[in-house]
Amino acid sequence: MNERLPDPRLAADDGGSEQPFIDHLIELRDRLLRMVVAIVIVFLGLFPFANTLYTWIAAPIRAQLPEGATMIATQVASPFLTPFKLALVVAVFIAMPYILYQLWAFIAPGLYRHEKRLAVPLLASSIVLFYLGMVFAYFVVFPLVFGFFTSVTPEGVQQMPDIAFYLEFILKLFFAFGIAFEIPIATILLVAAGITTPAALENKRPYVIVGVFIAGMLLTPPDVISQTLLAIPMWLLYELGILFSRFFQKDAGARAQSDDDSPGDDDPPTGSHRPKSPKPPAGPGAAEIAVGHEIDSSDINDPERFRPLTDDEMEAELDAIEAEDLHPHQSGARVDASGSSAMPTAATDTLLYQANQHRAEGNLNAARHLLYRVLEDGTADQRRVARNILSDLDS
């Protein structure tokens, strides 16, 4: 009974679909173990200084306490467990870059080169912004909040904060401000993914202002000071995200045309294949090559093959398309210049009209997809309009 079991990595070539998924789970388990080991190592280095860490983290409130007042421990194990918990949380914060690196190493092989170029700076900036949010909370928010609480203490009440409740309070604020400082990253990702546009984000500004104050009310203690100190930076960071997202939207077309559909140095692993969108053409003539038409270089350079439309001609063509889209019963199948029957005119004109709408909304990939269909099935006039729109997108 010494039969040797087959190597799981070799069994993946047998056509089974489970094996690659198991390999991914094994890799994920290994990387999670590395994260845990990193946290434990940092924690072991910090634990001897746990009491010193707590003294430093409690400095903002101790500076605001009345003379002679001290912090107290109302539970038997608090003097040990509270610094222990603080050392563990600080270990997680310090190990966060390594933790995020392990997550990045797990998903990076399945990304294309342009996605890696976008993800690396956003990942690094998200770490920096999270730390900046914590620094802002410690040096700006804590003194103001604790000073306000001390000033409104009723007469005859001795303020002696409990060390466990204080740690829970400041960790909530650290997390709230760290997440709030990620707003520019979230805004840039939404625009870069084509989910929204900077103009649409600007139109939602009034709702965002109300929303950040509601978020400040939910994430911070029930006082106006901390709520305002969180809401105003969130709003300003939202505006900063809109500003930087304009550059990402402007460069999205150039990145997509360079090498967005070619994998990076590490090809996507088995089981993580993703559909590739057709690569945008380099010029008007090359657009037909992208959809499968066989033409030679002499046809591309033929001046009779393609003549750019003027702005007035383009508007006239689009108006005609819109009119035919509204009255499809007046349009039927027509024959192009080559004499071959094409797709019904109304259907192709609808594609052109929708592609132009996508172009106006900034959704360039969807516009190109529809234009390629027109180049395949449209008439000569429709293909001429499609080539002009593609040329405008590529310019």
Side-chain angles (χ1 to χ4, degrees), residues 60 64 136-148:
Q64 303 294 335
F136 179 82
Y138 183 82
F139 289 101
V140 178
V141 178
F142 287 1
L144 294 175
V145 170
F146 298 141
F148 171 76

Side-chain angles (χ1 to χ4, degrees), residues 4 32 35 42 77 79-81 87 113 129 138-139 159 161 170 187 205 235 238 244 262 265 336:
R4 184 178 180 182
L32 289 175
M35 298 176 195
V42 177
F80 170 77
L81 292 181
R113 185 177 294 114
L129 286 173
Y138 183 82
F139 289 101
Q159 188 177 17
I170 63 171
T187 304
R205 182 180 288 115
W235 173 44
Y238 178 79
F244 282 102
S262 60
D265 298 332
D336 61 7

Side-chain angles (χ1 to χ4, degrees), residues 228-369:
T228 305
L229 289 176
L230 178 61
I232 292 180
M234 288 176 67
W235 173 44
L236 295 178
L237 290 168
Y238 178 79
E239 299 292 339
L240 186 65
I242 295 177
L243 177 63
F244 282 102
S245 65
R246 296 181 184 277
F247 298 99
F248 281 84
Q249 185 188 37
K250 181 179 180 181
D251 297 337
R255 288 197 306 269
Q257 293 181 26
S258 60
D259 56 354
D260 70 340
D261 290 326
S262 60
D265 298 332
D266 299 324
D267 293 337
T270 305
S272 63
H273 295 293
R274 305 187 318 175
K276 296 183 180 181
S277 58
K279 192 169 183 178
E288 292 190 3
I289 298 177
V291 295
H293 289 276
E294 296 292 338
I295 57 178
D296 55 25
S297 58
S298 61
D299 291 333
I300 296 176
N301 298 324
D302 185 4
E304 297 297 329
R305 181 177 179 83
F306 167 65
R307 179 183 64 84
L309 294 175
T310 64
D311 293 338
D312 294 338
E313 291 174 337
M314 178 72 75
E315 291 295 332
E317 291 284 356
L318 293 174
D319 291 341
I321 291 170
E322 184 176 2
E324 291 184 1
D325 186 43
L326 296 175
H327 304 285
H329 62 278
Q330 297 180 3
S331 302
R334 62 184 179 188
V335 180
D336 61 7
S338 62
S340 60
S341 178
M343 179 187 290
T345 304
T348 313
D349 285 345
T350 301
L351 294 179
L352 278 173
Y353 182 66
Q354 293 174 348
N356 191 55
Q357 286 184 321
H358 285 308
R359 181 185 64 166
E361 296 171 357
N363 195 351
L364 305 185
N365 288 334
R368 286 192 176 92
H369 178 73

Side-chain angles (χ1 to χ4, degrees), residues 18-296:
E18 293 185 7
Q19 201 59 53
F21 179 70
I22 295 177
D23 288 343
H24 294 328
L25 290 180
I26 293 174
E27 182 185 359
L28 179 61
R29 180 203 63 185
D30 293 340
R31 296 196 178 278
L32 289 175
L33 288 176
R34 294 175 189 175
M35 298 176 195
V36 173
V37 170
I39 294 174
V40 171
I41 292 175
V42 177
F43 171 74
L44 292 177
L46 291 176
F47 182 70
F49 310 98
N51 290 335
T52 304
L53 283 174
Y54 193 88
T55 301
W56 179 77
I57 209 71
I61 193 171
R62 292 173 62 224
Q64 303 294 335
L65 291 177
E67 185 177 356
T70 60
M71 302 182 70
I72 61 173
T74 59
Q75 299 177 3
V76 176
S78 290
F80 170 77
L81 292 181
T82 302
F84 181 91
K85 180 180 178 181
L86 175 61
L88 182 60
V89 173
V90 173
V92 174
F93 285 159
I94 294 178
M96 189 59 65
Y98 181 78
I99 294 173
L100 293 178
Y101 167 76
Q102 291 298 326
L103 293 175
W104 164 252
F106 178 72
I107 66 174
L111 300 179
Y112 296 115
R113 185 177 294 114
H114 80 282
E115 293 173 330
K116 293 181 181 180
R117 292 176 182 175
L118 178 65
V120 171
L122 290 180
L123 183 64
S125 58
S126 63
I127 297 174
V128 174
L129 286 173
F130 189 85
Y131 287 157
L132 285 178
M134 296 174 60
V135 171
F136 179 82
Y138 183 82
F139 289 101
V140 178
V141 178
F142 287 1
L144 294 175
V145 170
F146 298 141
F148 171 76
F149 287 160
T150 303
S151 64
V152 298
T153 302
E155 185 178 356
V157 175
Q158 185 74 19
Q159 188 177 17
M160 293 185 294
D162 178 71
I163 59 173
F165 290 146
Y166 172 76
L167 180 61
E168 181 181 351
F169 177 84
I170 63 171
L171 288 181
K172 183 187 296 185
L173 284 181
F174 275 142
F175 183 77
F177 278 88
I179 294 298
F181 272 60
E182 300 293 331
I183 290 178
I185 304 299
T187 304
I188 291 173
L189 287 176
L190 289 174
V191 174
I195 299 176
T196 186
T197 62
L201 293 175
E202 288 182 349
N203 293 334
K204 295 179 176 61
R205 182 180 288 115
Y207 306 100
V208 171
I209 294 176
V210 175
V212 295
F213 276 92
I214 295 176
M217 177 185 64
L218 297 176
L219 296 176
T220 60
D223 66 280
V224 179
I225 300 291
S226 57
Q227 177 186 2
T228 305
L229 289 176
L230 178 61
I232 292 180
M234 288 176 67
W235 173 44
L236 295 178
L237 290 168
Y238 178 79
E239 299 292 339
L240 186 65
I242 295 177
L243 177 63
F244 282 102
S245 65
R246 296 181 184 277
F247 298 99
F248 281 84
Q249 185 188 37
K250 181 179 180 181
D251 297 337
R255 288 197 306 269
Q257 293 181 26
S258 60
D259 56 354
D260 70 340
D261 290 326
S262 60
D265 298 332
D266 299 324
D267 293 337
T270 305
S272 63
H273 295 293
R274 305 187 318 175
K276 296 183 180 181
S277 58
K279 192 169 183 178
E288 292 190 3
I289 298 177
V291 295
H293 289 276
E294 296 292 338
I295 57 178
D296 55 25

